[in-house]
Amino acid sequence: MKDVRLLASAEYMGRGFGTAGLDLAADYIAQQFKEAGLVPAGTSEGSFFQSWQERGGEPEREATLKNVIAIIPGTKPEFKEQSVVLGAHYDHLGLGWPDVHKADTGKIHPGASDNASGVAVLLELARKLGKTFKPERNLVFVAFTGEEAGLKGSKYYVEHPRFPLEKMMGMINVDTVGRFGENKVTVFGNGSAREWVHIFMGASYVTGVRVEPVANDLGASDQKSFLDLGVPAVQLFTGPNPDYHRASDTAGQVEPEALVKVASVLK
């Protein structure tokens, strides 16, 4: 909840496209990855940032966007080019672009459930696993930018992956998991690999959290960029809420138990 409150605070101004608030969020996430003991995996040596230029926003302008990337290295030499990606987008709508309701025009959109919640789960998993977990394959944590502008960050990542795309085992995207109104974790894209249904049935059994697998993907979040290129990918989601893309999507609306249950399933 500390992560959610910070990212959804007025200081971050809704983490809009090309804004100072978005850069603050990127810096914060990178620092958390560093403190968790993850290895930086950005474009430059020792950097967590994968940066490039995009046009967007209102008024339209060119801006530097940054994915924040870190890894827990794999331990098996024979799997050295294989990876699993865990992702969540950290951008939101700022003052409303590109999807503003008339009544919310000019207001800060905090983006607490969408998607400070997913970032909080990603960071907590990094903290729990970063210094102790020894995966066989590379575990790549990516905080994507530009999702609200058309999946910009995930599209850039699959074009410039940290490890070969053809050797990527799968991708799990955590997006909008801060409200547990229907008391379940929905898994979109479950049909993208035959193994998913067994994995999530097992996770549900072990954690006691109700998981609802959905074979099809809605194409509404960053997993679509991976699916389009043949990588098995899913989205964890806890259901729609009336504050979606509204100025009322505040940290006070986020349910801590939802975050804990999603994190349990993901782990």
Side-chain angles (χ1 to χ4, degrees), residues 160-182:
H160 306 84
R162 182 62 178 79
F163 298 97
L165 198 69
E166 63 273 14
K167 295 188 178 182
M168 193 177 296
M169 307 303 292
M171 185 269 183
I172 301 176
N173 182 34
V174 191
D175 190 355
T176 312
V177 293
R179 310 275 286 271
F180 217 58
E182 296 182 7

Side-chain angles (χ1 to χ4, degrees), residues 190-202:
N190 196 70
S192 62
R194 64 180 181 274
E195 294 89 352
W196 286 130
V197 65
H198 303 291
I199 291 170
F200 286 108
M201 283 176 60

Side-chain angles (χ1 to χ4, degrees), residues 106-156:
K107 296 179 181 178
I108 295 174
H109 289 60
S113 184
D114 179 21
N115 185 38
S117 67
V119 174
V121 169
L122 193 70
L123 292 178
E124 190 66 8
L125 195 67
R127 295 177 186 119
K128 293 295 183 185
L129 301 182
K131 296 177 182 178
T132 59
F133 188 49
K134 304 297 180 184
E136 293 184 349
R137 296 168 176 84
N138 300 293
L139 186 56
V140 185
F141 289 73
V142 187
F144 294 109
T145 190
E147 191 268 356
E148 302 288 4
L151 314 183
K152 299 294 188 184
S154 54
K155 287 179 179 177
Y156 191 85

Side-chain angles (χ1 to χ4, degrees), residues 48 84 161:
F48 288 96
V84 174

